[in-house]
Amino acid sequence: MQHSTTATKTACISALIIGVLSAAFAFTTKTPAYAVTAGCVAIIIGLVSLFIGRKNIDDMQLAAAGIFMSVVACLVGLWQIYS
C-alpha cells in the first residue's frame, strides 16, 4: 500500500464534501434540474478523485462515499422531476 500525498488526500476529501453538499442541495432546491446537474458534476469530480486516489484504499473510500452521495443527489432530482 502506498502512502497518499496531501494533494491526493485533499482531492478525495473534496469529492466527499462536494457529494454531501450536492445531496443536501438536492433536498432543499425548488428546481430539480439544478439538483440533477449538481449531482452529475459531483459524480464527475468524484470519479476523477477516485482515479487520483486509486493507489490508497482510504482515499478510494472517501471518493466512493462522495460518488454515492452524488448519485443520491441525481436520484432525488430525477424523482422530483418525474413525480
Side-chain angles (χ1 to χ4, degrees), residues 5-81:
T5 63
T6 304
T8 304
K9 186 68 77 177
T10 303
C12 293
I13 290 173
S14 298
L16 176 61
I17 292 170
I18 291 168
V20 169
L21 290 176
S22 68
F25 178 71
F27 282 107
T28 59
T29 187
K30 299 294 182 194
T31 309
Y34 292 158
V36 174
T37 304
C40 290
V41 169
I43 287 173
I44 292 169
I45 292 170
L47 288 174
V48 170
S49 297
L50 188 66
F51 179 75
I52 291 170
R54 70 187 181 278
K55 295 183 180 181
N56 188 329
I57 191 69
D58 294 331
D59 294 337
M60 287 181 67
Q61 288 175 345
L62 290 170
I67 292 169
F68 175 76
M69 295 305 291
S70 304
V71 169
V72 169
C74 285
L75 291 175
V76 167
L78 289 172
W79 179 71
Q80 290 175 350
I81 288 173

